[in-house]
Amino acid sequence: MDVTDDGRGHEHAPEPAGEPSEALRGTPTIYDVARACGVAPSTVSRAFSRPGRVNAETAERIRQVAAEMGYRTNPLARALPTGRTSLLALVVSDVTNPFFFDIIRGAEEEATAAGYTLLVADVQESVEAERQALDRTLPLVEGLVLATSRMSDSAIRVAAKQRPTVVLNRVMTDVPSVVTDNARGTRRAVEHLAGLGHAVITYVAGPEASWADGMRWRSMREAAFELDLKVRRLGPFPPTLAGGQAAAQALAEHPTTAVVAYNDLLAIGLVRGLAALGARVPQDVSVVGFDNIFGADFCSPPLTTVAAPLRNLGAYAVRTLLEQRGNRQLREVRPALLPAQLLVRGSTAPRARRRSAWATRAQVPAGTALPTGVRGAPAPSAGASAAVGASARPGGRAAP
Amino acid sequence: MDVTDDGRGHEHAPEPAGEPSEALRGTPTIYDVARACGVAPSTVSRAFSRPGRVNAETAERIRQVAAEMGYRTNPLARALPTGRTSLLALVVSDVTNPFFFDIIRGAEEEATAAGYTLLVADVQESVEAERQALDRTLPLVEGLVLATSRMSDSAIRVAAKQRPTVVLNRVMTDVPSVVTDNARGTRRAVEHLAGLGHAVITYVAGPEASWADGMRWRSMREAAFELDLKVRRLGPFPPTLAGGQAAAQALAEHPTTAVVAYNDLLAIGLVRGLAALGARVPQDVSVVGFDNIFGADFCSPPLTTVAAPLRNLGAYAVRTLLEQRGNRQLREVRPALLPAQLLVRGSTAPRARRRSAWATRAQVPAGTALPTGVRGAPAPSAGASAAVGASARPGGRAAP
DNA sequence: ATGAAAGCGCTAACAT
DNA sequence: ATGTTAGCGCTTTCAT
């Protein structure tokens, strides 16, 4: 940030005319500083890169002169021989998705604290863009956090072979991964609804390809089984406000008093859709979301949600990344499970005594195209245990 | 992204034993490719950096072999002699502020389209962090977009001297700047309220240091004068939900039927605060926000707002930046004004016939500390014309 | 059209 | 503790 319009070192060493120095070119180099100090360039280099390996006094003098001349070490030149760029990349599938806001913030903080600069690459939900972004950034960075990658496991492994890599919101066994503890979070939501007297819960599903979606649905079935509740599944729907409105239509045909949605955006859309159909939340229907994104507290009613430890997720990923420096082996690693927290707000309430008539009142035009059909869960007794055994879909992508 | 575990060129040239080649080290270089092709390194370099200056056939052969070997040009090595890093930086005061979401997205898109990678630096509202981020990234990037910088004009000029720079949401005359057309946007809001029959409008102010805040308040006074309305000013308040709730308290003491808030976050907070005080929006009070941030459409009621061309702002800034390549002069430039758009939603309605009693009902504890006093605008006739002439505060910071 | 050679600015052995 | 000397991988005159 310093500009040196003067301080050309004329008092240090008489410049042989015709020799281009930092006075002519833009920025002074270690050579200019060295000449001005009467030491070797390598000494100047050491004075900055490893203080301590140079005499305290000369080091001080060098720093002094360098400061006067406006010398700044060129990170590019430093990176070429060493590979130390001090850059980390965070690849997100969509910067404008509020799910990432706090993740970015957490990663930023941790990176900055460790002396790194975070490069946020937005790949706009495109596998092709993701590949290209990686092509471009991989050689520049010292490490990589893939938040919600849309690439295949093998593609991720390829990247992980070149640079320390951590994946977020997706479980892998040979690449360090950090995920929210969806199982416990989901259980808390179900317990909450059960405590309010709800006996049947609908799960409004998100993208099929989402690792989290599969996890949440399975966990719901387990929890419901143990608490002796019934669960249904509706969807999949795109995890957007529009998706939620569509879900409201679908719900009208198979109403329940409680709903757990794949994520907050879907939940908020659902609440709006329900309102449009004449259903009151939470009086007629209780709604629970996931993630606690920005906006979950000021929508109306404020959303009860399973809050993902967003900021922590980002911070933890970067920390894990930094720990990988040195040991570059892809060895077996257990995914880190970060705890979620149930935030009870205004969208859930005790089950109404008498069933509201909203669903029958709601005008659902015959033949309305719904994204998908409704299917009841298999009998809890059979379904739950089967679900428990199922492991995470191997190649599944993690849509937030 | 390619990994080359094989393709070591053994069939091209017998490796003299003991000479480290790309087989031993990680990535193949132009030297490896050159040897494999039987050409000079410089030819390989040209084949990639300026195709056309090399025989079409040899170029093709080189590309072929290079691909087989998994050669990728090293951006760092290329950048050292040329300065071309293909990196652009977008510095934002707070990544988690929804105001920036679409700005980032717009900038991202434009940068990617032009073959650049965008580095998003979050400086967390700290001048010190901003200075440091600049120190770190400036030498790496080819250009800089400062969105809502908290630094002084002169500090910005210093940065602009080193790299092409564009400032967003702040007017400067010697550095290209792009801002929302707040004046016209504000006028539209005032016209809208006037059309609904409101005669007195309160402006709920944001940060004093915000360039946009000053601009909006002045524009309101002008517009109100022309339309023969009265305006009052309340604040400043922090541009957050909490700030809005505080503003609701203040408004209760000096109620008007219409309010224009500095930004959406403040407006949303205000609506919630009013609700808590028993005022209905829009029946008792109409509220207009600014920016149309994420969430403005799903809060309750959906917010009428002056939508900033967020995405366009980001895209335009990057485009302007890219145009600066080549001519590195800081010459006089006129700020670009991008049009805002009034989005009428549910938070504004015709003025009620009879004055609601909410404000008198609202329990405002005596002596409640308000961030600031309320002051009426000076007589429109005098105030307005004076305001028109006033130019943007020179050193003002632009808080979103 | 291609090759040879000199850097870009810094770091890292290896000497002294 | 400091100086010398090679590079890091690529670009770019200047020759040929």
Side-chain angles (χ1 to χ4, degrees):
Chain A
M1 279 288 304
D2 288 273
V3 235
T4 309
D5 332 67
D6 54 11
R8 308 195 167 158
H10 29 330
E11 56 180 6
H12 302 296
E15 304 264 14
E19 191 180 304
S21 75
E22 92 282 1
L24 298 177
R25 296 198 48 278
T27 28
T29 72
I30 44 171
Y31 291 94
D32 299 312
V33 177
R35 199 169 338 112
C37 290
V39 298
S42 53
T43 305
V44 178
S45 170
R46 280 191 279 259
F48 286 100
S49 52
R50 48 200 52 180
R53 300 186 57 83
V54 58
N55 184 303
E57 292 166 24
T58 36
E60 185 46 45
R61 189 161 48 93
I62 289 173
R63 290 179 155 333
Q64 197 75 40
V65 174
E68 281 171 19
M69 299 175 69
Y71 165 80
R72 327 239 40 164
T73 129
N74 177 336
L76 243 48
R78 189 208 291 270
L80 188 51
T82 61
R84 282 214 80 229
T85 58
S86 295
L87 251 32
L88 257 29
L90 173 63
V91 182
V92 299
S93 53
D94 177 6
V95 248
T96 68
N97 184 327
F99 177 73
F100 293 114
F101 302 159
D102 274 350
I103 290 181
I104 295 176
R105 168 54 67 93
E108 249 290 344
E109 285 177 352
E110 200 69 22
T112 302
Y116 283 80
T117 296
L118 191 71
L119 206 146
V120 179
D122 175 20
V123 300
Q124 302 171 54
E125 297 287 358
S126 144
V127 176
E128 178 47 35
E130 186 166 355
R131 212 192 50 72
Q132 189 183 321
L134 250 42
D135 260 4
R136 282 223 281 251
T137 59
L138 218 53
L140 286 174
V141 304
E142 290 184 52
L144 199 59
V145 176
L146 296 174
T148 313
S149 174
R150 303 311 193 210
M151 299 190 308
S152 67
D153 277 17
S154 62
I156 292 181
R157 255 177 240 115
V158 169
K161 226 165 264 170
Q162 330 214 352
R163 291 288 185 279
T165 299
V166 172
V167 298
L168 222 57
N169 302 306
R170 171 160 169 168
V171 167
M172 288 185 68
T173 54
D174 44 3
V175 175
S177 51
V178 11
V179 296
T180 304
D181 190 342
N182 282 298
R184 292 180 53 149
T186 305
R187 160 176 301 273
R188 307 302 289 274
V190 174
E191 286 170 353
H192 168 62
L193 291 171
L196 291 172
H198 298 279
V200 187
I201 307 179
T202 298
Y203 176 69
V204 172
E208 295 260 28
S210 161
W211 179 84
D213 180 72
M215 198 61 197
R216 288 167 188 175
W217 168 233
R218 274 193 307 282
S219 304
M220 266 202 67
R221 287 182 19 189
E222 287 178 41
F225 171 63
E226 293 180 21
L227 296 170
D228 204 26
L229 304 182
K230 277 219 182 75
V231 289
R232 299 186 169 281
R233 184 173 186 275
L234 225 53
F237 296 95
T240 60
L241 292 180
Q245 310 214 344
Q249 293 282 353
L251 187 66
E253 298 185 0
H254 304 265
T256 57
T257 60
V259 175
V260 172
Y262 162 67
N263 74 7
D264 288 347
L265 229 35
L266 203 43
I268 293 171
L270 176 69
V271 170
R272 298 190 67 186
L274 287 173
L277 294 173
R280 294 160 305 164
V281 173
Q283 294 88 336
D284 298 331
V285 185
S286 285
V287 176
V288 179
F290 267 94
D291 297 341
N292 190 34
I293 61 169
F294 171 88
D297 57 337
F298 65 73
C299 55
S300 170
L303 198 65
T304 294
T305 190
V306 179
L310 266 12
R311 197 166 185 137
N312 217 351
L313 241 24
Y316 194 95
V318 169
R319 229 174 295 135
T320 307
L321 196 57
L322 263 20
E323 281 168 7
Q324 269 190 78
R325 288 174 306 188
N327 29 305
R328 292 291 312 106
Q329 294 308 316
L330 288 191
R331 59 170 198 280
E332 197 73 8
V333 283
R334 210 183 344 280
L337 275 186
L338 266 40
Q341 191 183 3
L342 179 70
L343 257 35
V344 176
R345 291 198 275 238
S347 65
T348 48
R351 176 187 176 190
R353 292 302 171 86
R354 298 189 323 190
R355 177 144 167 197
S356 159
W358 71 270
T360 50
R361 279 199 316 267
Q363 304 284 336
V364 181
T368 296
L370 293 176
T372 174
V374 185
R375 56 180 201 264
S381 52
S385 56
V388 176
S391 64
R393 275 174 248 170
R397 287 89 176 272
Chain B
M1 278 288 303
D2 288 274
V3 238
T4 309
D5 333 68
D6 54 12
R8 304 189 172 164
H10 30 332
E11 55 180 8
H12 302 295
E15 306 263 15
E19 191 181 304
S21 75
E22 92 283 2
L24 299 176
R25 296 198 47 277
T27 28
T29 72
I30 45 172
Y31 290 94
D32 300 312
V33 177
R35 198 167 341 111
C37 291
V39 299
S42 51
T43 305
V44 177
S45 170
R46 280 189 279 257
F48 286 100
S49 52
R50 49 201 54 183
R53 300 189 54 81
V54 58
N55 183 302
E57 292 168 23
T58 36
E60 184 46 45
R61 188 161 49 93
I62 290 173
R63 290 177 154 339
Q64 196 75 41
V65 174
E68 281 171 19
M69 300 176 68
Y71 165 80
R72 329 241 38 166
T73 127
N74 177 336
L76 243 48
R78 188 207 293 269
L80 188 51
T82 60
R84 281 213 80 228
T85 58
S86 295
L87 251 33
L88 257 30
L90 172 64
V91 182
V92 299
S93 53
D94 177 5
V95 249
T96 68
N97 184 328
F99 177 73
F100 293 114
F101 301 161
D102 275 349
I103 291 180
I104 294 176
R105 167 56 66 93
E108 249 290 344
E109 285 177 351
E110 200 70 21
T112 303
Y116 283 80
T117 297
L118 191 72
L119 207 146
V120 179
D122 175 20
V123 300
Q124 302 171 54
E125 297 287 358
S126 146
V127 176
E128 178 47 34
E130 187 166 355
R131 212 194 49 71
Q132 189 184 323
L134 250 42
D135 261 3
R136 283 223 280 251
T137 58
L138 247 148
L140 286 174
V141 304
E142 290 183 52
L144 199 60
V145 176
L146 296 175
T148 313
S149 174
R150 301 315 192 206
M151 300 190 308
S152 67
D153 277 17
S154 62
I156 292 181
R157 253 177 242 115
V158 169
K161 225 164 265 169
Q162 330 213 350
R163 291 287 185 279
T165 298
V166 172
V167 299
L168 221 56
N169 302 306
R170 171 160 170 167
V171 167
M172 289 185 67
T173 55
D174 45 3
V175 176
S177 52
V178 10
V179 295
T180 304
D181 189 343
N182 282 299
R184 292 181 51 149
T186 307
R187 159 175 301 273
R188 306 303 290 273
V190 173
E191 286 170 354
H192 169 62
L193 291 171
L196 291 171
H198 298 279
V200 187
I201 307 180
T202 299
Y203 177 69
V204 173
E208 295 260 27
S210 161
W211 179 84
D213 180 72
M215 197 60 197
R216 288 167 188 175
W217 167 232
R218 275 193 307 280
S219 305
M220 266 201 67
R221 285 179 24 187
E222 288 177 41
F225 171 63
E226 295 178 20
L227 296 170
D228 203 27
L229 304 182
K230 278 219 182 77
V231 288
R232 298 184 168 282
R233 185 173 185 276
L234 225 54
F237 296 95
T240 59
L241 291 180
Q245 315 226 17
Q249 294 281 353
L251 187 65
E253 297 185 0
H254 305 265
T256 57
T257 60
V259 175
V260 173
Y262 161 67
N263 74 8
D264 287 347
L265 229 35
L266 204 42
I268 293 171
L270 176 69
V271 170
R272 298 189 69 185
L274 286 174
L277 293 173
R280 294 159 306 164
V281 174
Q283 294 88 337
D284 298 330
V285 185
S286 284
V287 176
V288 179
F290 267 93
D291 297 342
N292 190 34
I293 61 167
F294 171 87
D297 57 337
F298 64 73
C299 56
S300 171
L303 199 65
T304 294
T305 191
V306 179
L310 267 13
R311 196 165 184 136
N312 217 351
L313 241 25
Y316 195 95
V318 168
R319 229 173 295 135
T320 307
L321 196 58
L322 263 20
E323 281 167 8
Q324 269 191 77
R325 288 174 307 186
N327 30 308
R328 293 291 312 107
Q329 294 308 316
L330 287 191
R331 58 167 198 282
E332 197 71 11
V333 282
R334 207 180 350 280
L337 275 187
L338 266 39
Q341 190 184 3
L342 179 71
L343 257 34
V344 177
R345 290 196 276 237
S347 65
T348 48
R351 177 187 177 191
R353 292 302 169 86
R354 298 188 323 190
R355 177 143 169 197
S356 159
W358 71 270
T360 49
R361 281 199 315 266
Q363 304 284 338
V364 181
T368 296
L370 293 177
T372 174
V374 184
R375 56 180 201 264
S381 52
S385 55
V388 176
S391 63
R393 274 174 246 170
R397 287 89 175 274

